[in-house]
Amino acid sequence: GGDTFRFQPIGYRAVYPSQYFPSYPELGNRNLVDEVSQECRKAGIHLYSYCPLDGAWDEKIANDPRYIPYLRLDADGKPHARNTGYGNVKSIETCANGDAYRQMFRKLVQELCAQDTDGLYFDAPSGYRGVCFCDNCRDLFKKFSGMDIDRLRNSRGLRQSQPADVDYEALTAWYDWSNKLTEEDLIELRKIIHGSGKFMLC
């Protein structure tokens, strides 16, 4: 009896030709959002695009100069990689706190709003933004907290237990800052989405 379908147009890549998000080359000019939308419209089903605010791209992206400004960096300055849980596939996480990624994502949402859907759904928007050591995060975190981000060199993601000597003062400040940015993002994205006549879910 369901009347709504959640479809993911962006994940490790986009499944439609995107100007802003890396696409699957093997799809060519196919637009899977449009193909799914046509079937949903025939069946009278509402269609929502599923979008995580922070991304994780496949490993090939880490060396593509177009996307390097959007990558989350570890304390050693290398892109942050994690196992996806799908065999031996690794993904490279994006820096969702970085100005470059946040501005790109606003353009991406405008692009998604131009698709034939009823709205966009953001999954756990404040939950997973890990610590990033890119120059942008270094500067902006210092301005926000007065702390040097290197105090977080031994911190781990929220899904892992922290080491005994983790600096919780700095880690709390990081997530205070990160959540502030998330709220700013959601307010801006809501304006874009509602302005296009669509609906936003979180």
Side-chain angles (χ1 to χ4, degrees):
D3 65 355
T4 302
F5 185 65
R6 186 188 80 170
F7 180 73
Q8 186 167 358
I10 58 168
Y12 298 117
R13 300 256 181 162
V15 297
Y16 69 97
S18 173
Q19 294 182 55
Y20 307 107
F21 210 83
S23 302
Y24 287 102
E26 58 268 32
L27 286 177
N29 288 322
R30 283 185 69 188
N31 182 334
L32 299 192
V33 182
D34 185 57
E35 292 178 29
V36 170
S37 173
Q38 290 178 35
E39 298 305 316
C40 284
R41 298 311 180 206
K42 289 177 191 174
I45 294 173
H46 300 293
L47 177 63
Y48 278 80
S49 292
Y50 165 90
C51 308
L53 269 187
D54 52 348
W57 296 339
D58 67 60
E59 284 184 286
K60 295 174 184 175
I61 298 300
N63 297 316
D64 189 322
R66 293 173 296 172
Y67 304 116
I68 287 174
Y70 307 140
L71 300 183
R72 175 183 162 198
L73 302 183
D74 286 332
D76 61 4
K78 295 179 181 176
H80 181 80
R82 66 178 171 87
N83 195 304
T84 62
Y86 303 105
N88 293 320
V89 178
K90 285 189 176 178
S91 65
I92 304 297
E93 294 188 358
T94 56
C95 174
N97 289 341
D99 286 342
Y101 181 86
R102 294 173 71 213
Q103 292 309 311
M104 179 277 292
F105 202 85
R106 284 158 171 70
K107 294 175 183 174
L108 177 69
V109 166
Q110 290 174 336
E111 185 177 73
L112 288 169
C113 285
Q115 305 289 323
D116 183 21
T117 64
D118 295 292
L120 279 71
Y121 165 74
F122 298 107
D123 183 32
S126 64
Y128 308 126
R129 291 186 176 188
V131 177
C132 176
F133 293 85
C134 72
D135 290 340
N136 186 256
C137 284
R138 285 180 176 279
D139 293 342
L140 296 180
F141 178 68
K142 179 88 172 188
K143 288 177 184 175
F144 174 81
S145 67
M147 299 180 195
D148 192 312
I149 201 169
D150 283 316
R151 290 173 59 169
L152 293 170
R153 290 182 74 86
N154 70 336
S155 66
R156 297 177 185 151
L158 289 181
R159 297 175 180 176
Q160 301 169 290
S161 59
Q162 297 295 336
D165 60 345
V166 70
D167 187 334
Y168 278 108
E169 181 185 16
L171 191 60
T172 300
W174 171 271
Y175 282 105
D176 284 344
W177 176 57
S178 182
N179 287 334
K180 175 180 173 289
L181 298 183
T182 301
E183 184 177 6
E184 291 174 4
D185 288 342
L186 290 175
I187 290 170
E188 285 296 315
L189 298 177
R190 182 178 63 187
K191 289 178 184 175
I192 295 169
I193 295 166
H194 287 186
S196 72
K198 298 182 188 291
F199 195 72
M200 182 174 92
L201 297 172
C202 293

